[in-house]
Amino acid sequence: MRGRTPPLLLTAGQRFDLETVPRLREALADARHEGSRQSILDISQVCFGDSSFLHELLAARYSHHRLVLAGPIPHELRQRFLLTGTLRLFTTVRSRRSSGLV
């Protein structure tokens, strides 16, 4: 039986929309298939994320072993999460450092 790998840290870039979300989807799928017990997605540098970005995070949250969002969460994203009532659905940490991986 193969052992689980340690948490995997992913870093999201600047902008996420219909054109760029497929790269995020692919990275999250790769992390899931590597067998890590959790993935930490650093979203602190995301300056824009449209509804397709939020949709992808929600899809990953429900299909992923354990997805943690690391911040600080940029204001625009925090507003989108709060307006849609989805922030409470995610496990969040204040920073990569507080995730224990840095």
Side-chain angles (χ1 to χ4, degrees):
M1 182 178 194
R2 185 177 100 176
R4 290 275 196 194
T5 60
L8 185 64
L9 178 64
L10 303 167
T11 302
Q14 298 284 316
R15 295 182 56 83
F16 286 95
D17 55 27
L18 280 174
E19 280 188 34
T20 56
V21 160
R23 288 184 281 187
L24 175 63
R25 182 180 307 121
E26 186 177 311
L28 289 168
D30 288 348
R32 186 173 54 250
H33 295 304
E34 284 189 28
S36 63
R37 60 185 169 85
Q38 76 177 9
S39 294
I40 299 171
L41 178 62
D42 182 343
I43 61 171
S44 64
Q45 299 302 311
V46 176
C47 63
F48 176 78
D50 69 5
S51 60
S52 64
F53 177 66
L54 180 56
H55 174 77
E56 196 58 45
L57 292 179
L58 288 167
R61 192 259 184 234
Y62 287 108
S63 67
H64 220 266
H65 43 282
R66 180 149 188 241
L67 176 65
V68 176
L69 301 180
I73 300 172
H75 179 74
E76 189 267 332
L77 287 183
R78 181 173 292 282
Q79 289 302 107
R80 186 170 306 281
F81 285 132
L82 293 174
L83 286 171
T84 58
T86 54
L87 185 60
R88 64 183 172 76
L89 300 176
F90 294 97
T91 301
T92 60
V93 293
R94 292 180 65 126
S95 68
R96 293 166 68 158
R97 186 174 309 267
S98 62
S99 73
L101 289 180
V102 176

